[in-house]
Amino acid sequence: MKIGIIGAMDIEVKELISSMVDIKKETISGIDFYQGKLEDKDVVVAECGIGKVYAAVCAQTMILKYEPDIIINTGVAGSLSTELRIGDIVISDGVVQHDYDASPIGIPAGMISGVNLIKIPCREELVKKIFKAAEILEDTNIALGTIASGDQFICSKEKKDFIANTFDALCAEMEGAAIGHVCYINNVDFCIIRAMSDMADGSAHMDFDAFVEIAVEKTILIIKNFLRN
Ligand code: ADE
């Protein structure tokens, strides 16, 4: 069993990479891939860059070159729910692309052509295992639901409400659904784990850099616990 792990930013994967042993690094299309062992399991970890195109290139390359059995996408997200505060966790049961919109030609907003789905589902068995691994966190709300991705950092109430209401999504980020889409068409199981770093509405108290560090630590703990079990 080999597990692929993708994060968009250096801060989202650097702790995982520094915990790995027997590391071999390769750079493909400008993306660094680190193969090795983490918690005694075979892993390949990559930092893809921000946005859906980088995420898709990374996932497709990882699948073709390293053949992972599953891919986990880790990182931070903006909360779309009043129930989810900074530091809380969302685990995907499926992903949507909130900026995929061919509705002027009669295709429902968000419907991905070819696969004909708005929400690309994760496999329940994997999601359950990751949810269980997340129970290691104390004082943290862990939610299961839809994660929405698009090539925009969401920071207005209008946009936040649009995504939450149209797609019934719990949080917004910029890569997960692209990775899910690539995994789905390649028959690779996937799951997205995101810690809330902001409220996606530009609220005055937002201090993104400070919250990212706290949030990322939690997703790393979940991944390590998942690998151990
Ligand atoms: N990643 C973290 N916060 C985000 C937000 N508000 N919108 C998109 N991606 C994010």
Side-chain angles (χ1 to χ4, degrees):
M1 168 74 91
K2 188 190 284 175
I3 296 166
I5 303 167
I6 300 176
M9 301 185 290
D10 172 63
I11 187 165
E12 290 169 330
V13 287
K14 72 175 181 202
E15 214 279 308
L16 287 175
I17 294 164
S18 64
S19 305
M20 285 169 67
V21 294
D22 302 336
I23 298 189
K24 255 193 357 212
K25 177 184 169 188
E26 259 180 310
T27 305
I28 305 169
S29 309
I31 298 171
D32 294 333
F33 292 86
Y34 300 83
Q35 264 199 107
K37 294 236 181 232
L38 182 62
E39 301 291 339
D40 241 9
K41 303 289 182 318
D42 290 322
V43 296
V44 51
V45 179
E47 177 194 336
C48 68
I50 294 173
K52 292 197 303 174
V53 173
Y54 280 128
V57 168
C58 180
Q60 186 64 58
T61 305
M62 185 179 270
I63 289 167
L64 292 177
K65 173 96 191 171
Y66 301 101
E67 301 182 340
D69 298 288
I70 63 176
I71 292 184
I72 296 171
N73 171 224
T74 175
V76 293
S79 168
L80 302 178
S81 161
T82 48
E83 316 265 287
L84 289 166
R85 314 306 304 170
I86 288 163
D88 285 342
I89 299 287
V90 178
I91 292 167
S92 66
D93 65 1
V95 289
V96 298
Q97 295 174 47
H98 65 74
D99 58 354
Y100 193 115
D101 185 5
S103 57
I105 56 167
I107 298 168
M111 171 81 81
I112 297 157
S113 72
V115 298
N116 287 335
L117 290 170
I118 294 177
K119 178 169 171 175
I120 295 187
C122 303
R123 200 161 61 85
E124 203 181 330
E125 199 190 331
L126 174 61
V127 171
K128 274 191 183 154
K129 284 184 185 158
I130 291 182
F131 199 88
K132 184 109 197 72
E135 285 167 358
I136 193 177
L137 298 175
E138 283 164 13
D139 302 324
T140 303
N141 191 5
I142 303 158
L144 180 67
T146 306
I147 294 186
S149 312
D151 283 322
Q152 295 152 5
F153 192 96
I154 306 304
C155 60
S156 78
K157 184 159 172 7
E158 288 76 13
K159 195 84 210 184
K160 170 177 173 163
D161 290 347
F162 165 77
I163 299 169
N165 298 334
T166 311
F167 298 103
D168 196 22
L170 296 179
C171 67
E173 38 83 308
M174 301 177 71
E175 298 82 23
I179 292 167
H181 189 169
V182 169
C183 286
Y184 189 77
I185 60 179
N186 286 279
N187 271 319
V188 173
D189 287 343
F190 73 96
C191 188
I192 318 299
I193 308 169
R194 295 278 176 162
M196 302 306 102
S197 57
D198 57 271
M199 296 307 293
D201 54 7
S203 20
H205 61 267
M206 177 172 135
D207 180 352
F208 186 71
D209 290 338
F211 290 137
V212 163
E213 286 207 32
I214 302 164
V216 160
E217 267 176 40
K218 296 195 178 186
T219 62
I220 304 285
L221 281 174
I222 298 171
I223 289 177
K224 287 187 171 172
N225 196 34
F226 170 72
L227 291 173
R228 276 195 294 271
N229 294 300

